[in-house]
Amino acid sequence: MFKKMRSKHSEFYDIDGFLSVNQRFNLTLITCFYLISRFFAVVSLLTSYKTLDEKTFLIRLALYSTGIIMLLFALIVIKKRKAQVLRIFIILNMVIGIIVMQFVAPTDNQFVNILTLLIQLFFVLATSYLSFHSTNVNIFNFILSAAILLLGYYFYNKRTFVSSDFSTSFILSILFALFSFSFFTQIVTIEHKKIIRFIKGLTYVDYSISLPNEKKLIEDYFHLLPNTTVAFIGIYIVNLSSLNRQCGYKNVQIELLRRIDEIKDVLKDCSELYKLSEPIFVFAFGGDDDTLCTYLKKIESILSRTIRYDETIISFKMNVIGTKAPSDGKTAEELLANLQIIKYSLTKDENDSEGTLWYNPNLLKLSERTLALEKDIHTAIKTKKINIAIQPKVAIAGSGKGVAGEVLARWTHEIHGEISPLEFIPLVEREGLMDEFTSLIIYHTDNIIKEYKKKKGIILNLSINISATSLVSGNLNKILLVDRANKLNELGGLELELTESVLFDLNDNCKQYITDLKDAGYRIAIDDFGTGFSNFEYLQEFEIDTLKIDKRIIDKLTESEKSNIVADALIKIAHTLGAKVVAEGVELKSQAKQLKALNCDYIQGYYYSKPLPPKEFLEFVTKSFENQS
């Protein structure tokens, strides 16, 4: 296995942990030890009350008490995270200590003096041991503390703990100051190193997912490439944005983090797992194709596992993309650029690729085209250059006369010509433009309805396709119930087409959105019915107005008896529930004849007409009404 490609550094630094656990814990611990040290100093002072004159006693008590008060305030400051104020408290406390050592002689009770010194040194060493996981720092503090102990022992044998001589007192003050200075210098130095390491972590870690990022990958493989044969494999989660909208970012992130931990465990003998921009996770691989296939199957099994969250299913769909060194590039930067090119060459955000999609130079043109369209779609929507075509839905049974229509988006690009909806609709989704796009389609549709009503006095029955994005966010209701409220009585309610999969994944909020739309007068249609989940519960719950039988059933209608039985059953169920039925993709006369025999209400497809520009559609409708009258 390609173990040498594994990153050497797998430690990441959590922001909250760094601030709250590391820094605050250490500072609180040190301050508490100082507080205890000051407390023992007061005890020592009180035990020698009778041996001191009143003035000396009061000065010491005032100094020690001031130190204790400042340390208590320091604890509050630590809790409030006021670092500058805390430093001031620490410096003032050190000054008080120096003053005590410099100008105030200890008590005459030598046992108490020695005991106090030992206790203070014990707490200093304990603080050092608990705060600094560094052998050098602890040895330094141990030597310095031992020197002070030996000095204290020397004075103890001389029967005077501190000489009244000013020079001796001054030397002890200097020693105390140096010890305090070195102690806090070590604290600052180590905290500085932690901060530098933390900042480095910010540079190399994607904290949203707790994985090393693109910069870290480039650094890890800088020295290995270009003399190493290795593949960068990208796991592109194609439905992450959709899941975030349906279930909430936080809920999806929690579940994704669980799966990422499992994937890291799968790859532990192979490579580190890295996070790139967009929902792409990358690992390095240097083995054979069969081993890679084994890894990918395990990863897919982890990601595709389904769980329910508030009546919504969370399951991650992935596409696998890959690029190899040195054939595709000789640096990590080139390989990562290749992965982005592959990603942007994908035109549909769905799990439709088989195996691994490997880089090839021809994908660069597709990627450049996608990036150009991604940029131009913003302008196209803003300037209303996204137009519509309408495919007629013709009544064929005794349920009524006339023609309805399905509104389809069309985009004619200035350079690339006609762009398929299969290509530009995913771009609209990815760029977060679905609400503006839906508003534009409704605008065009209203104009057609208004124009025909003005000419013929008839309100057309037109349907538009609704994205899960706008429905889940609630913005669809704002568009239809607020922005279009003044047109409801004038133009009538549109028919809103939803796919089965959208209804199956709805949470309670979305169900309420649909109910509100129904109450306002909008009709609800189920698109591609019969090939998805086919959950009949929602047919009753939402009082569906129209069911559209999927083209795949219609294609086999005259060839397969089972398809004929399925279509017959679906039509009868829909009629029982009070819904109309539209057959999609009708291309043959035999299909239209069979559907009429099954009492299907409308047929839609090339047998009658392809999608038409608005003016041609209005002419088609007029002729149809004239022929049926």
Side-chain angles (χ1 to χ4, degrees):
M1 192 52 59
F2 207 53
K3 293 183 179 180
K4 67 178 181 179
M5 298 301 293
R6 181 173 171 80
S7 170
K8 297 180 181 178
H9 307 289
S10 58
E11 183 179 7
F12 308 118
Y13 308 104
D14 176 70
I15 295 176
D16 294 333
F18 176 80
L19 292 178
S20 61
V21 177
N22 185 349
Q23 197 174 48
R24 293 175 68 191
F25 174 77
N26 284 342
L27 291 175
T28 303
L29 188 65
I30 292 168
T31 305
C32 286
F33 282 153
Y34 261 104
L35 191 59
I36 294 171
S37 174
R38 288 288 181 265
F39 173 77
F40 276 107
V42 172
V43 172
S44 174
L45 179 64
L46 293 175
T47 58
S48 32
Y49 171 72
K50 295 180 180 180
T51 62
L52 298 173
D53 62 83
E54 184 178 357
K55 183 179 179 181
T56 303
F57 175 80
L58 291 176
I59 291 175
R60 289 191 188 185
L61 185 61
L63 288 171
Y64 289 147
S65 299
T66 303
I68 290 173
I69 291 171
M70 283 193 300
L71 288 169
L72 290 173
F73 274 109
L75 290 175
I76 299 174
V77 167
I78 292 172
K79 187 176 181 181
K80 299 292 184 180
R81 299 191 183 189
K82 303 292 184 181
Q84 295 294 343
V85 181
L86 179 63
R87 293 190 187 100
I88 293 173
F89 278 129
I90 291 174
I91 293 170
L92 289 176
N93 215 282
M94 290 171 59
V95 170
I96 290 174
I98 294 172
I99 291 173
V100 172
M101 292 293 294
Q102 177 72 42
F103 299 106
V104 181
T107 71
D108 294 331
N109 189 327
Q110 303 301 325
F111 175 77
V112 173
N113 290 331
I114 290 293
L115 180 63
T116 302
L117 179 63
L118 289 173
I119 291 173
Q120 290 182 2
L121 287 173
F122 169 77
F123 280 119
V124 167
L125 291 174
T127 303
S128 175
Y129 178 78
L130 293 173
S131 300
F132 310 131
H133 301 288
S134 169
T135 304
N136 294 333
V137 174
N138 289 324
I139 290 175
F140 173 80
N141 284 331
F142 175 78
I143 294 173
L144 190 56
S145 301
I148 295 175
L149 262 175
L150 291 173
L151 188 61
Y153 181 72
Y154 168 78
F155 284 118
Y156 177 72
N157 284 337
K158 291 289 186 179
R159 293 300 181 187
T160 175
F161 185 61
V162 175
S163 171
S164 59
D165 180 71
F166 178 81
S167 61
T168 305
S169 178
F170 180 75
I171 291 171
L172 286 176
S173 300
I174 294 297
L175 286 174
F176 181 83
L178 287 175
F179 177 77
S180 301
F181 179 76
S182 65
F183 186 75
F184 281 99
T185 299
Q186 292 297 334
I187 293 175
V188 171
T189 301
I190 290 180
E191 289 299 322
H192 174 72
K193 290 179 180 178
K194 291 177 181 177
I195 290 171
I196 295 300
R197 186 177 64 177
F198 172 67
I199 293 173
K200 188 176 181 181
L202 286 176
T203 304
Y204 292 112
V205 177
D206 187 320
Y207 280 100
S208 66
I209 203 71
S210 297
L211 287 177
N213 59 18
E214 181 177 334
K215 289 183 179 180
K216 189 68 171 64
L217 189 152
I218 291 172
E219 182 180 281
D220 287 345
Y221 291 89
F222 177 78
H223 297 291
L224 291 173
L225 297 174
N227 300 317
T228 304
T229 301
V230 62
F232 280 6
I233 307 299
I235 306 299
Y236 173 32
I237 300 181
V238 296
N239 67 331
L240 188 59
S241 297
S242 176
L243 287 174
N244 286 335
R245 289 189 296 266
Q246 294 179 45
C247 307
Y249 173 82
K250 184 177 180 181
N251 301 316
V252 175
Q253 196 76 353
I254 290 172
E255 184 59 31
L256 181 59
L257 283 170
R258 293 196 188 105
R259 317 261 177 129
I260 290 299
D261 286 339
E262 294 181 46
I263 294 174
K264 287 165 62 177
D265 189 57
V266 169
L267 297 173
K268 63 184 178 181
D269 294 326
C270 172
S271 164
E272 196 73 72
L273 186 65
Y274 300 84
K275 169 70 164 53
L276 268 62
S277 58
E278 304 291 342
I280 301 178
F281 301 90
V282 176
F283 66 93
F285 183 78
D288 56 76
D289 292 343
D290 291 339
T291 306
L292 176 60
C293 184
T294 301
Y295 277 122
L296 293 177
K297 284 182 179 179
K298 290 180 180 179
I299 293 173
E300 184 178 17
S301 175
I302 291 170
L303 290 174
S304 63
R305 187 174 65 241
T306 60
I307 68 163
R308 246 182 205 286
Y309 175 80
D310 285 348
E311 301 185 8
T312 304
I313 290 179
I314 295 181
S315 177
F316 300 98
K317 299 178 181 179
M318 73 175 197
N319 280 338
V320 182
I321 56 181
T323 181
K324 297 178 180 179
S327 58
D328 297 337
K330 297 183 179 180
T331 66
E333 291 94 330
E334 291 177 340
L335 296 181
L336 293 179
N338 291 345
L339 292 181
Q340 293 290 0
I341 289 172
I342 302 172
K343 187 259 178 186
Y344 278 108
S345 69
L346 300 173
T347 58
K348 293 197 292 182
D349 285 345
E350 60 182 43
N351 187 28
D352 59 357
S353 66
E354 295 182 2
T356 303
L357 179 60
W358 292 98
Y359 171 81
N360 71 72
N362 294 330
L363 291 175
L364 181 59
K365 293 182 179 179
L366 290 175
S367 175
E368 291 174 347
R369 170 187 168 91
T370 301
L371 288 171
L373 295 180
E374 200 172 70
K375 178 182 177 182
D376 294 340
I377 193 68
H378 290 262
T379 304
I381 293 175
K382 186 176 181 180
T383 58
K384 295 182 172 60
K385 291 186 178 179
I386 300 293
N387 295 307
I388 62 170
I390 307 173
Q391 185 164 36
K393 293 186 284 188
V394 180
I396 59 170
S399 57
K401 298 180 179 180
V403 174
E406 178 182 0
V407 177
L408 305 171
R410 292 291 183 264
W411 182 21
T412 303
H413 193 273
E414 294 179 354
I415 297 176
H416 300 290
E418 289 293 330
I419 309 298
S420 168
L422 293 177
E423 185 174 5
F424 73 77
I425 296 296
L427 293 180
V428 173
E429 288 269 13
R430 196 156 60 214
E431 292 299 295
L433 299 171
M434 187 51 70
D435 293 338
E436 294 89 339
F437 176 80
T438 302
S439 294
L440 179 58
I441 299 303
I442 293 173
Y443 167 80
H444 286 314
T445 304
D446 282 346
N447 286 342
I448 297 301
I449 296 174
K450 188 175 182 179
E451 181 181 348
Y452 198 76
K453 182 182 178 183
K454 185 177 180 180
K455 289 181 179 179
K456 301 294 181 179
I458 298 174
I459 295 178
L460 290 174
N461 180 2
L462 298 181
S463 63
I464 60 173
N465 292 285
I466 297 302
S467 164
T469 304
S470 297
L471 180 63
V472 170
S473 67
N475 291 332
L476 176 65
N477 286 47
K478 178 182 180 299
I479 295 169
L480 293 173
L481 301 181
V482 179
D483 299 344
R484 191 178 180 268
N486 61 336
K487 298 182 181 180
L488 278 172
N489 293 329
E490 179 186 358
L491 303 178
L494 296 176
E495 187 168 72
L496 310 175
E497 293 191 11
L498 305 169
T499 62
E500 275 195 285
S501 58
V502 170
L503 285 177
F504 187 78
D505 290 339
L506 290 182
N507 56 33
D508 290 338
N509 287 337
C510 295
K511 291 177 181 178
Q512 185 59 50
Y513 295 152
I514 293 179
T515 300
D516 292 342
L517 291 170
K518 280 285 297 179
D519 293 342
Y522 290 99
R523 297 183 300 278
I524 304 296
I526 306 301
D527 199 8
D528 301 331
F529 188 76
T531 58
F533 298 100
S534 298
N535 189 334
F536 295 103
E537 181 180 351
Y538 58 68
L539 298 182
Q540 304 174 61
E541 184 174 0
F542 298 118
E543 297 182 5
I544 302 300
D545 297 284
T546 304
L547 290 182
K548 301 186 70 175
I549 301 177
D550 190 85
K551 184 180 185 300
R552 283 169 286 185
I553 295 177
I554 303 303
D555 286 342
K556 299 177 182 179
L557 189 63
T558 57
E559 302 173 2
S560 169
E561 182 62 26
K562 289 184 178 180
S563 294
N564 191 68
I565 293 173
V566 169
D568 184 34
L570 293 176
I571 292 170
K572 288 179 179 178
I573 291 172
H575 287 165
T576 301
L577 295 172
K580 301 294 184 182
V581 179
V582 177
E584 296 183 283
V586 179
E587 299 179 354
L588 304 174
K589 183 177 181 179
S590 58
Q591 294 171 342
K593 183 178 179 181
Q594 183 63 27
L595 288 165
K596 184 174 183 179
L598 296 175
N599 292 319
C600 181
D601 301 292
Y602 291 87
I603 62 173
Q604 173 183 342
Y606 277 36
Y607 173 68
Y608 275 115
S609 175
K610 64 180 181 180
L612 301 171
K615 289 186 178 180
E616 293 183 22
F617 173 76
L618 294 181
E619 293 174 1
F620 182 91
V621 172
T622 300
K623 291 180 181 178
S624 297
F625 274 115
E626 291 173 354
N627 293 335
Q628 292 175 353
S629 58

